[in-house]
Amino acid sequence: MIGIALIISNLILSIIIFGIGIKVYQVYRRKYLFWFLVSLFLIPMLFLYSLIEIYNSSIYMALLYPFFIILIEISVIFAQKNLLSSLRTEEGKEYRMLLKEDIALIRAFEKVSNYLIRKISPLIGIKSIEDLLEDASEKYEFLKNCYIGIDERLETNLLEEKIDIKGIKIEKLSEGFSYLLIKLIDLYAAFVPYEKILEEMRKEIGKIDKRIVKFFIPFSLFKLIIEPIIRKCKGDEIKEIRIAADIEGIYINKNGGIEFYELYRYEDDKIQMKFLKFLERCYPFLIRYFGNSFYEEITKNFRALPSNVKEEIYKHGFIKSLPKGVLEEEKITLMSREKLIKELIDRKKKLEEAYKRLAEAKLDKMKSKFIDIIAHELKTPLTAIKTYNDLLMKEKLGKLNKLQKEKLGKMAKNIDKLTNLINDMLQIPTIDTKELELRKEVFYVEEIIKNIVEEVEGIAREKRQVLKYDVDSIAIEGDKKMLEKAIKNIVTNAIKYTREGGKILIKAKKDGKFAHIYIQDNGIGIEKKELEKIFEPFYTGDGGGVGLGLAIAKNIVESHDGKIWAESKVGKGSTFHVILRRIE
Ligand code: ADP
């Protein structure tokens, strides 16, 4: 007996929860509520589970079920306290955030319509309004779900419920309700001066939520800006304007009321364009009837717009295209604001760039300075070591045995290596600056090549390599020491990256106004993709070097307006080319 009572009560509870869930889901935005509702729907699921348990003749689950429900309900209510209270009062951020746009729109239209209905019904009775609604329902099917309640108010609840099922678009809703609103205003205007209606409408529209105010823009433009002026015209003047301003989607009725609801079928931009076109057509007539005061009037109407609408309209900047004389001050501020923003953005960009450059320059300078200090600090003790080593080797500090001599010879070699490295390091600060200080003189290419060969011959011989040169007599002007260093770097590489018994050939030929120097080897070669990188500072292959030799060479050659590049085949060898301007 208890079991059956429990099942029935649990079943009722579950159905109620399910019903509430679906109702809430229809009205409010799904994305916010989805998980909330999923958690709520767990309760009926729990119930199903309890049924299974009862079936398995365990009564505990059925007893626990109501207890669970109460627990979950309490926690949900606590968690959503603010949300629920704001939903109930239809105020607050949560409410606006959660309400779906189309429902919010229906409610806004309902409010504005009811405001008018309240004013109109004492004047001609509710019947005329019911007729009007019927007429509108014929044109817009969905309005059949709206009715005038016993409290003489327009009710839209039914529509709210069906809107999802019927899939009515928000634009269609705006169109239908605008139709209704326009007719209501027309009815009201038969009894009350339009100026008064205008004022009341501004107040009502001003209360509309920011999210949907966009759908009241056409209403504001036509009803609040231009219609008050047209309504001031005489009968035949209205007729004239009606004919001239015949634009698809816009229609002026014989009282001067503008009907524009079909415009909702167009895109936002197009609606604004249509308004501008309409204004342009009415313009000559209104100027003729009202003279310059027309400008003032229309400007005044624009300025009097409620601020939510104004914000929306000014956001699009379409007021810049309004005819001359209308809203001039606003145009200027709008334009200067845009200009100002643009200028600010430009400046920000420039500043960012400048800052970046500054940071880079600072870092580069720091790097260079650091290397400079280290190199100098190393150079001084190294010179002392070298001097003592020389003295020792020359037996000026006492006689040496064979082994000692041999070890000192090795030391001398390493000292030389270190000295070269430090000299290279000292050149780093100048690698990136491009502009080397050149001590120029005129000399023959042969001179430097001979010097280089003399210097490196020993190492080549050790590797049993053949080192040859074939140099024409070519005079060039440049920093002899530096150019010698550049070519020496290339030649030492050729020796370094060529196996024992290999061949290295240095050639220098006249090539028009230039001297073309080749350094050829039949060494290990360089991969194609590395050919561009080898001239970058600190780039090294597998050779275990520091990666400065070629970067320095390139910098020196380019400071002489020359060119340097390499050609190579892996396993076959490499050829380095240097081109320098020669003197004839
Ligand atoms: P380092 O020799 O100290 O590594 P370089 O700037 O002189 O630095 O050379 C950069 C890289 O270019 C070398 O590591 C090497 O891989 C490659 N390279 C230079 N010359 C040759 C050559 N003649 N044959 C093969 N590879 C070379």
Side-chain angles (χ1 to χ4, degrees):
M1 194 57 206
I2 299 173
I4 292 172
L6 268 176
I7 291 178
I8 292 172
S9 65
N10 287 356
L11 195 66
I12 293 169
L13 216 55
S14 299
I15 292 169
I16 292 173
I17 291 170
F18 226 87
I20 293 173
I22 289 173
K23 177 98 181 158
V24 171
Y25 192 62
Q26 276 173 353
V27 177
Y28 300 104
R29 285 212 200 173
R30 281 165 193 178
K31 60 177 173 184
Y32 291 101
L33 283 174
F34 183 75
W35 292 112
F36 173 63
L37 290 178
V38 163
S39 65
L40 214 65
F41 285 155
L42 275 178
I43 300 168
M45 294 301 142
L46 221 66
F47 167 68
L48 278 182
Y49 181 65
S50 77
L51 277 188
I52 297 167
E53 290 292 303
I54 288 171
Y55 186 73
N56 290 340
S57 70
S58 149
I59 200 92
Y60 296 115
M61 205 45 219
L63 281 172
L64 275 179
Y65 178 63
F67 174 72
F68 271 135
I69 289 186
I70 291 166
L71 208 72
I72 294 173
E73 278 297 285
I74 289 173
S75 58
V76 163
I77 287 173
F78 267 113
Q80 307 285 334
K81 199 171 157 258
N82 289 338
L83 174 70
L84 290 176
S85 69
S86 80
L87 287 181
R88 232 174 275 134
T89 54
E90 299 199 354
E91 272 168 16
K93 226 160 93 196
E94 292 90 354
Y95 165 73
R96 280 205 291 274
M97 240 165 53
L98 284 172
L99 203 63
K100 280 197 297 186
E101 266 178 9
D102 41 11
I103 307 273
L105 190 84
I106 295 175
R107 290 191 184 175
F109 269 118
E110 187 196 82
K111 260 189 196 156
V112 182
S113 305
N114 273 330
Y115 179 83
L116 288 168
I117 292 171
R118 211 173 56 235
K119 297 269 173 179
I120 301 167
S121 64
L123 298 171
I124 46 163
I126 201 75
K127 180 80 183 64
S128 55
I129 294 163
E130 277 170 344
D131 290 346
L132 206 148
L133 183 61
E134 211 180 298
D135 162 55
S137 312
E138 259 159 49
K139 229 172 141 81
Y140 297 96
E141 183 84 12
F142 67 85
L143 286 176
K144 285 200 174 122
N145 298 303
C146 305
Y147 57 94
I148 307 288
I150 35 169
D151 55 351
E152 302 197 340
R153 280 170 53 88
L154 178 72
E155 292 290 348
T156 58
N157 294 355
L158 244 128
L159 178 64
E160 276 185 22
E161 276 167 33
K162 290 198 178 158
I163 191 158
D164 256 357
I165 308 159
K166 298 208 164 177
I168 306 161
K169 274 196 181 156
I170 198 160
E171 286 79 15
K172 195 78 194 165
L173 281 176
S174 309
E175 188 181 329
F177 275 111
S178 290
Y179 179 83
L180 189 68
L181 215 58
I182 289 167
K183 298 290 170 190
L184 281 173
I185 287 181
D186 240 24
L187 205 61
Y188 191 25
F191 301 95
V192 176
Y194 197 77
E195 281 294 322
K196 193 169 172 275
I197 302 179
L198 189 64
E199 222 168 274
E200 290 169 353
M201 280 297 102
R202 278 187 200 129
K203 254 190 242 155
E204 284 306 300
I205 304 274
K207 289 181 201 158
I208 286 167
D209 182 0
K210 254 189 193 156
R211 269 193 306 135
I212 47 162
V213 79
K214 172 183 151 202
F215 298 98
F216 284 83
I217 298 290
F219 185 89
S220 309
L221 289 177
F222 289 100
K223 290 277 161 192
L224 307 186
I225 305 282
I226 187 94
E227 186 168 318
I229 304 171
I230 295 180
R231 278 198 187 258
K232 279 186 192 158
C233 298
K234 291 181 208 99
D236 39 335
E237 288 173 344
I238 292 180
K239 216 180 196 173
E240 261 187 320
I241 302 175
R242 242 171 103 178
I243 298 164
D246 180 26
I247 291 170
E248 208 188 332
I250 312 169
Y251 173 76
I252 304 177
N253 63 32
K254 59 180 187 314
N255 305 321
I258 308 173
E259 301 189 5
F260 60 84
Y261 40 85
E262 282 177 12
L263 279 190
Y264 282 102
R265 295 172 194 184
Y266 297 97
E267 307 260 298
D268 291 353
D269 299 355
K270 201 88 185 274
I271 295 177
Q272 290 171 359
M273 292 295 291
K274 287 243 177 193
F275 172 76
L276 285 174
K277 205 167 155 195
F278 176 77
L279 200 62
E280 214 174 90
R281 297 267 177 94
C282 301
Y283 199 60
F285 297 95
L286 297 174
I287 294 276
R288 184 138 50 86
Y289 308 147
F290 299 102
N292 277 351
S293 72
F294 162 71
Y295 299 126
E296 284 158 29
E297 189 89 355
I298 200 161
T299 302
K300 194 185 85 202
N301 287 348
F302 258 112
R303 288 193 183 144
L305 279 176
S307 51
N308 53 351
V309 175
K310 237 193 304 198
E311 259 174 43
E312 187 67 26
I313 291 183
Y314 286 14
K315 208 160 67 186
H316 295 290
F318 103 108
I319 65 157
K320 275 187 287 180
S321 331
L322 286 174
K324 223 171 163 251
V326 178
L327 281 181
E328 281 309 324
E329 281 171 36
E330 281 80 354
K331 277 187 211 161
I332 291 169
T333 41
L334 208 71
M335 253 137 60
S336 56
R337 200 173 62 188
E338 273 171 22
K339 235 165 109 187
L340 210 72
I341 290 171
K342 205 172 154 270
E343 206 163 284
L344 270 175
I345 292 171
D346 276 358
R347 279 192 187 198
K348 193 174 155 242
K349 254 193 215 152
K350 270 188 200 154
L351 262 175
E352 273 172 1
E353 268 166 31
Y355 181 75
K356 219 170 115 193
R357 255 183 277 134
L358 197 74
E360 273 169 11
K362 216 171 161 189
L363 194 71
D364 272 357
K365 230 179 174 171
M366 266 170 63
K367 267 198 283 186
S368 311
K369 212 167 172 189
F370 175 72
I371 291 168
D372 214 32
I373 290 169
I374 297 254
H376 277 114
E377 287 303 311
L378 285 174
K379 210 175 170 178
T380 325
L382 202 64
T383 323
I385 294 170
K386 193 177 160 58
T387 318
Y388 284 115
N389 203 58
D390 282 351
L391 287 174
L392 277 168
M393 278 217 313
K394 284 176 188 158
E395 297 188 320
K396 297 251 159 108
L397 302 174
K399 276 254 176 228
L400 301 169
N401 63 31
K402 209 178 154 201
L403 187 73
Q404 285 169 331
K405 263 190 193 166
E406 200 187 301
K407 296 291 174 208
L408 280 177
K410 270 205 175 136
M411 243 172 92
K413 249 189 209 159
N414 281 318
I415 291 169
D416 279 346
K417 254 193 195 167
L418 217 55
T419 316
N420 282 339
L421 176 66
I422 290 170
N423 285 339
D424 278 354
M425 277 171 80
L426 282 169
Q427 286 228 14
I428 297 173
T430 54
I431 288 177
D432 287 331
T433 52
K434 293 269 179 232
E435 281 163 35
L436 290 175
E437 252 181 62
L438 303 174
R439 268 182 233 119
K440 285 196 175 176
E441 58 185 302
V442 177
F443 62 94
Y444 283 93
V445 176
E446 203 176 359
E447 294 172 34
I448 53 171
I449 304 285
K450 268 188 179 165
N451 284 345
I452 294 167
V453 171
E454 257 172 45
E455 267 185 66
V456 299
E457 234 168 9
I459 327 169
R461 205 178 305 126
E462 267 176 31
K463 284 183 91 175
R464 285 183 284 111
Q465 289 168 339
V466 183
L467 175 64
K468 279 190 184 166
Y469 66 92
D470 168 15
V471 179
D472 287 354
S473 144
I474 316 167
I476 51 176
E477 189 181 10
D479 192 315
K480 192 175 165 187
K481 264 199 166 162
M482 289 224 187
L483 283 170
E484 189 177 316
K485 183 173 175 53
I487 293 167
K488 190 181 154 193
N489 284 352
I490 302 172
V491 177
T492 41
N493 274 347
I495 296 171
K496 195 158 122 193
Y497 298 107
T498 300
R499 284 173 219 95
E500 294 212 347
K503 260 193 219 162
I504 290 117
L505 174 63
I506 309 167
K507 282 199 293 188
K509 299 280 160 213
K510 279 184 192 161
D511 185 358
K513 289 179 178 168
F514 301 93
H516 192 155
I517 305 164
Y518 308 71
I519 297 99
Q520 266 174 10
D521 65 53
N522 59 354
I524 57 168
I526 305 160
E527 275 190 44
K528 207 168 173 195
K529 62 175 193 301
E530 287 189 3
L531 274 176
E532 279 166 31
K533 294 187 204 154
I534 54 171
F535 294 99
E536 286 168 15
F538 302 108
Y539 180 83
T540 68
D542 310 322
V546 207
L548 285 173
L550 290 181
I552 291 170
K554 182 177 154 93
N555 193 227
I556 294 173
V557 171
E558 285 180 353
S559 308
H560 283 83
D561 290 328
K563 269 190 192 159
I564 182 168
W565 74 98
E567 285 165 355
S568 187
K569 261 202 179 134
V570 177
K572 290 259 158 70
S574 320
T575 304
F576 281 77
H577 301 263
V578 174
I579 288 194
L580 293 165
R581 187 172 283 277
R582 70 183 181 91
I583 298 172
E584 292 175 57

